Every structure is written in structure tokens, then in C-alpha cells.
Amino acid sequence: MVTHLSFAFILGLALLATPALSLHAQETRTSSGDRLEGTVQKVDRGASVIVVTYGNVTRQVIYDQSTRFTVLNQPGSLDAVKPGRPVICRGKFDGTNRLVAFRVDVQEKDK
């Protein structure tokens, strides 16, 4: 009886913690690549770096000529990536927590 209650308690804690973790996760790693979602703070065209923040965490997103830029899942360009705009970046994290992006999707159109 005690074993069943302990198992039920642990299972209940696991079920409660899972949704809370997914709400705060802005970086995810999947088999198809990594995802970083946040707000653009700075675009350094000379160094090919986009600085993205979420909460109090700042990450660098590296892009190159093969990186595809989109705006709301429609074809776009680097010109749409501006400070203050929300973005979703997909790619692979390197050893220094920089995302080497193969796609950057701006989540807001020009007004």
C-alpha cells in the first residue's frame, strides 16, 4: 500500500512539473536541429551575428549565405531582422552556446 502511494505521489509530481517546464523553455533540441525563440536585441552584419534574448538570457545566432530568412513563414531577408522583433531561429548549437542558424523566421511584419 505504501509503495502504491509513493509511486502515485512521484508520478503526480512528474505530471505537474512537465507543463511548467515546457512553458519556460525557449531553447529546445530535437533530432532535426535546435530551436531558439526570443527577441532581437542587435544585428551585427559585419560579424554575421544576431543577438537574441529571452527572459534574462542572451544568445548569439550566427548566420551565413546559406541561412534562410522568412517573415511569418513567407520568404524574407535579413532586412526584416530588426531590434525588438520576435524571432524563431533553427540550427545547431556550437560548443559556445551560439546557434549556427539554417533558418531565421521573423514573427512580425513591417508596419
Side-chain angles (χ1 to χ4, degrees):
M1 178 73 163
V2 173
T3 305
H4 292 294
L5 289 176
S6 297
F7 178 75
F9 179 73
I10 292 170
L11 182 62
L13 285 177
L15 291 175
L16 288 174
T18 303
L21 290 175
S22 65
L23 290 175
H24 295 337
Q26 298 296 318
E27 292 178 11
T28 54
R29 292 180 164 92
T30 64
S31 60
S32 62
D34 301 321
R35 174 185 159 121
L36 173 65
E37 183 174 351
T39 304
V40 175
Q41 294 302 308
K42 179 182 172 185
V43 179
D44 184 347
R45 290 175 183 249
S48 299
V49 173
I50 302 167
V51 178
V52 176
T53 61
Y54 58 93
N56 60 353
V57 178
T58 301
R59 294 281 185 257
Q60 290 184 346
V61 177
I62 309 301
Y63 64 89
D64 60 20
Q65 66 275 7
S66 66
T67 303
R68 191 174 80 169
F69 291 93
T70 57
V71 178
L72 296 173
N73 292 321
Q74 299 298 316
S77 69
L78 177 60
D79 294 333
V81 181
K82 297 177 182 173
R85 290 211 169 151
V87 292
I88 298 174
C89 305
R90 294 192 179 270
K92 289 282 185 191
F93 281 103
D94 65 8
T96 60
N97 274 335
R98 298 183 314 170
L99 183 77
V100 180
F102 56 77
R103 180 173 176 192
V104 176
D105 187 45
V106 179
Q107 298 295 295
E108 180 179 281
K109 285 187 176 184
D110 281 330
K111 295 177 180 163

